[in-house]
Amino acid sequence: MDNCIFCKIVAQEIPSYKVYEDDKVYAFLDISQVTKGHTLVVPKQHVADIFEYDETLAADVFSRIPKIAKALEKAFPEMEGLNMLNNNKELAYQSVFHSHIHLIPRYSKKDDFSIHFGDHTKKYSPSELQQFADAIKAQVD
Ligand code: 5GP
Ligand code: ZN
């Protein structure tokens, strides 16, 4: 897609620190390394976000994730964990609108990454939770 920075990276029209490539995906270092080895995995096909995936594309992209995760673990044996993150749409902090999965190696609780869920186990009643589940279930194809 014209004017998409990640399409240009996939086409190698602009440089990147590539870590993996095959016919379906391209993986490269995030320009802003939240932690050492922070990698982005993108489908070669331009899709903006998860809502544009079909099952085949999802299988193509997600099937490559374990081998890249294991490569990170081997490259950086001091790594003690890995967060995978996929932001979809601006409100959810997506800033590049070519879908991508962040692989963020974790080395310490003090590194510059955090996810804070808090405890919301009492927020909704059982009947409200059942309504949510029913509403979603009715929409799954
Ligand atoms: P998002 O905020 O959409 O989930 O993540 C987009 C990521 O792309 C950011 O972490 C940002 O640092 C990274 N990024 C943006 N432009 C470039 C670029 O030109 N090259 C690389 N390697 N990463 C980029
Ligand atoms: Zn693109």
Side-chain angles (χ1 to χ4, degrees):
M1 188 196 221
D2 290 347
N3 274 331
C4 169
I5 190 127
F6 286 178
C7 280
K8 287 181 179 155
I9 285 175
V10 167
Q12 305 196 26
E13 288 166 15
I14 61 171
S16 68
Y17 294 96
K18 179 169 80 177
V19 305
Y20 177 78
E21 178 180 16
D22 63 24
D23 54 331
K24 301 294 183 191
V25 308
Y26 192 95
F28 56 103
L29 296 184
D30 194 304
I31 203 166
S32 173
Q33 291 277 285
V34 172
T35 63
K36 182 176 60 180
H38 177 183
T39 293
L40 300 175
V41 183
V42 307
K44 285 193 162 175
Q45 174 188 338
H46 179 92
V47 286
D49 55 42
I50 195 69
F51 303 105
E52 293 188 0
Y53 281 64
D54 60 18
E55 289 185 9
T56 303
L57 183 63
D60 287 343
V61 173
F62 286 87
S63 64
R64 272 62 171 191
I65 301 284
K67 75 167 105 193
I68 301 168
K70 288 173 195 172
L72 284 165
E73 197 179 35
K74 284 188 185 144
F76 307 115
E78 67 275 33
M79 180 178 136
E80 292 190 7
L82 179 79
N83 285 102
M84 289 171 45
L85 192 65
N86 168 232
N87 299 328
N88 295 281
K89 305 208 182 279
E90 203 172 343
L91 181 73
Y93 307 124
Q94 186 175 6
S95 62
V96 176
F97 296 92
H98 178 134
S99 177
H100 49 280
I101 317 294
H102 294 261
L103 302 187
I104 304 174
R106 301 299 304 280
Y107 304 96
S108 146
K109 287 190 174 166
K110 292 188 197 137
D111 57 30
D112 191 21
F113 179 84
S114 74
I115 301 177
H116 178 69
F117 280 169
D119 179 3
H120 303 278
T121 52
K122 309 269 190 305
K123 194 188 279 179
Y124 296 109
S125 67
S127 70
E128 287 173 312
L129 293 171
Q130 192 61 59
Q131 280 175 30
F132 299 160
D134 290 344
I136 298 164
K137 213 183 319 177
Q139 297 298 333
V140 176
D141 289 335

